[in-house]
Structures are given as C-alpha cells and as structure tokens.
Amino acid sequence: MTEAFGRVLVTGGAGYIGSHVVHALLERSARVVVLDDLSTGAREAVAEGAILEVGNAGDRAFAVAVLRRHRCQAVLHFAGFIVNSESVRDPLAYYANNAGATRTLLEACVEAGVGTFVYSSSAAVYGAPDRVPVDEDAPLAPLAPYGRSKLAAEWMVRDTARAHGLNVAVLRYFNVAGADPAGRAGQVSRNATHLIKIACQAALGLRGGVEIFGDGYDTPDGTCVRDYIHVSDLADAHLAALEHLGAGGESLTLNCGYGHGASVREVLAAVERASGRKLDVRVGPCRPGDAPMLIADTRRIRKALKWRPRLDDLDAIVTSALGWERRLVEAAARS
Ligand code: UFG
C-alpha cells in the first residue's frame, strides 16, 4: 500500500476536508507533509504522524523547497477560500487565493518533478444546472467569483497536465458535511456559514436559531436541495483517485456526491432528531447565488474509481457533526 501513495503533500491539511484526508492517508501508511498557512485551519487539526510546514501554497519558492526536501511524489491541493458570499464582496482575494495560488503551486510541482496532482474543485462550477443529477459534461456556469475561481483553477490543472505530463484528478465536491466517526477531526472554522454546522450550533444553544434562506424555490418543499456527502467518504474518494493515478490510470474529472439530495427543512429535521431539541426556525429572504437544486450524477466516480460510499445517510452525517460540535464545546469549557 505504501507504494501506491508514497510521499504526499497535502495543502490545507489543517483545514476541514484536508485534515480528514491526512488521517485516511496515514492509516494507509502514506508519508504525509501538510503545507498550511493556518489562516483558517488549526495546528491541532493536523494529525500526529504528519509533518507540518507552515506557509502559503501560493509561495512558489517555499513550495518547491518543501516538495524537494520531502521528495513528494503527489500533491493534494485543498488550500483555498470557500465562502460564496464572501467571494462576491472580495472577488480578487478569491481569484488570488484559489486561482492564482493554484497556478503558482502547479509551477512548483512542475519544477520539483511532482507526477500526480489532485485538485479540490466544487459543484459551484455548475452554477444552477438545468437538470439534476448533473453530470461532469454539463455546462459550466458558476454563479459567483468563488465558483469561477475554482473553474479557472480547473483549466490550469488540466492544461498543465497536458503540457507537462502530470496525472491529475479534479474532484468536484458537492456539500461536504459531517465529521470523522472516530472523533479525530471535524469542521474547525469558528465562523460557520454552512447549514449543518449552524443548525448543530443552534441545537447546542450556541446560537438563537436557524434562518432558512428562502422557501419559495421550485423544489418539493420550497427550500433548496443539496447533495450532502460525508467528509470521510470524500476522503476515501481521494485515496481511490491517488491509487488510480498511481497505477497509471488516466487523468479525470469527477463529481463527489451521493446522487440524491436533502432539502434545508429535511436537514433541520435530522438535526432535531439527532439532538432531541426543537430548533427555533424562521424563514428569511433567499441568499443571492444559491442554486435551487444541486445533486451529483455519480456514475463516473463509481465506475472509474470503484468508489462506494460507506456513510450515505443524512442522520449519520448530522449525528457525527453534532458529536464534533459537542466536543468543541467541552474543549472550550475546559480551556
Ligand atoms: N442555508 C440556510 N440557512 C443557513 C445556511 C444555509 O437556509 O443559515 C441553506 C442555503 O441557502 C443552501 C443550503 O442551506 O440552500 C446549503 O447551504 P451551505 O451554505 O451549507 O452550502 P452551499 O450549498 O451554499 O455551498 C456549499 C459549499 C461551497 C460549495 C457548494 C457546492 O460551501 O463551497 O456547497 O454545492 F461550492
């Protein structure tokens, strides 16, 4: 197994998704180096057993030095900004940190002779698709600078792969949620914007209630529908992508979701079930840039990587997220 993964550099390995993937890689005996500037990630989130290099993924000289020093063969690039609404207010920060930094990191990879690159893209590249489930060949029409910065980076990744012989996987995440069932990792950022984290915080009394951003959408209950994927299943998809590329498989672009969705109201009901608490819910205006429905067509990833989810269950996702938020509360009380 060690040969399949070798030495892997994980940018953003101190963040939410990256920290889960680092645990999964270590479990499979990979040698893991985390490159993270700790701007949104946390030092404590980096698994024991991984080497942490503090710096920005867009710092070319630093990235080349780290790649060379640790003789990394593969790069998983998670580092980036992820808040859609923030990207509307500050597009240049998103273009710099998501597109610009990816460009520089790719340059560093070429210079250091890295052969494999896995890029964290987003379902946001589809915008509001005409049809769901949406497959990878659907039109790409992101609604905000966030999605456009991810799409620009996708182009760079594929162009670089063609020109310089890299093997790449571009993974388009749908709504990543939940926490490591073993309790080792979870959503670390304090400023939650994601629905499940907000609802869990409300269930634990950390905030007054939850506002539903619009209930007049053309969906079964009027609220937006999303394809929530457990972060541990997503971590498995990364390992499967690395194995595929390591075995000489062709470069690919894949949706990462389950192929079915849950509405905002269904998510809130799941949080009420998991917590045993009634949430104080009010309906507010729509949030600009929200697609009514985003559901992945998952046929390609299932076929190409033989990936099968293990935790495809909204109650399991929410229960793990709630458990993580509880642990954060207990840890804060102790400190
Ligand atoms: N929502 C509410 N109230 C809240 C928070 C969210 O009603 O307090 C709703 C949103 O309007 C949306 C749904 O819950 O309909 C999910 O919202 P999230 O903010 O949790 O997630 P998004 O779907 O907006 O975005 C997420 C990631 C993006 C990624 C996108 C891809 O944040 O990085 O999924 O689908 F691009």
Side-chain angles (χ1 to χ4, degrees), residues 82 122-124 146 173-175 193-196 198 210-213 224 226 228 264 287 290-291 294:
I82 59 159
S122 168
Y146 166 68
Y173 309 161
F174 282 66
N175 285 59
T193 59
H194 289 136
L195 176 65
I196 292 183
I198 284 176
V210 183
E211 180 178 342
I212 295 179
F213 298 147
C224 293
R226 294 287 180 274
Y228 294 92
V264 175
R287 186 171 68 174
D290 270 345
L294 264 176

Side-chain angles (χ1 to χ4, degrees), residues 83-287:
V83 183
N84 220 30
S85 53
E86 194 178 66
S87 78
V88 177
R89 288 194 301 274
D90 194 358
L92 295 178
Y94 274 69
Y95 284 113
N97 203 40
N98 292 352
T102 302
R103 195 205 74 81
T104 313
L105 181 64
L106 285 165
E107 204 169 45
C109 288
V110 171
E111 197 175 327
V114 169
T116 301
F117 193 89
V118 179
Y119 180 62
S120 302
S121 188
S122 168
V125 297
Y126 298 117
D130 291 338
R131 272 180 310 174
V132 290
V134 59
D135 69 37
E136 291 84 349
D137 298 324
L140 302 173
L143 299 173
Y146 166 68
R148 286 191 275 276
S149 70
K150 286 286 178 182
L151 182 53
E154 280 198 12
W155 288 329
M156 293 185 221
V157 169
R158 283 191 286 264
D159 287 343
T160 308
R162 272 190 291 271
H164 297 281
L166 262 77
N167 301 314
V168 300
V170 171
L171 302 182
R172 292 179 179 155
Y173 309 161
F174 282 66
N175 285 59
V176 189
D180 175 35
R184 299 168 301 181
Q187 176 62 266
V188 277
S189 71
R190 273 168 216 91
N191 306 326
T193 59
H194 289 136
L195 176 65
I196 292 183
K197 179 150 184 138
I198 284 176
C200 289
Q201 289 180 333
L204 295 173
L206 299 174
R207 56 172 79 225
V210 183
E211 180 178 342
I212 295 179
F213 298 147
D215 69 352
Y217 288 97
D218 184 16
T219 60
D221 68 11
T223 66
C224 293
V225 172
R226 294 287 180 274
D227 187 339
Y228 294 92
I229 172 173
H230 195 292
V231 63
S232 299
D233 278 334
L234 184 66
D236 287 349
H238 287 77
L239 268 57
L242 271 183
E243 265 177 333
H244 165 87
L245 296 175
E250 61 176 19
S251 293
L252 17 86
T253 296
L254 301 170
N255 285 342
C256 296
Y258 286 152
H260 56 83
S263 71
V264 175
R265 284 199 189 281
E266 285 169 332
V267 168
L268 298 181
V271 173
E272 290 184 338
R273 279 195 296 279
S275 64
R277 296 263 310 258
K278 190 102 189 80
L279 295 174
D280 184 3
V281 176
R282 76 175 192 88
V283 177
C286 295
R287 186 171 68 174

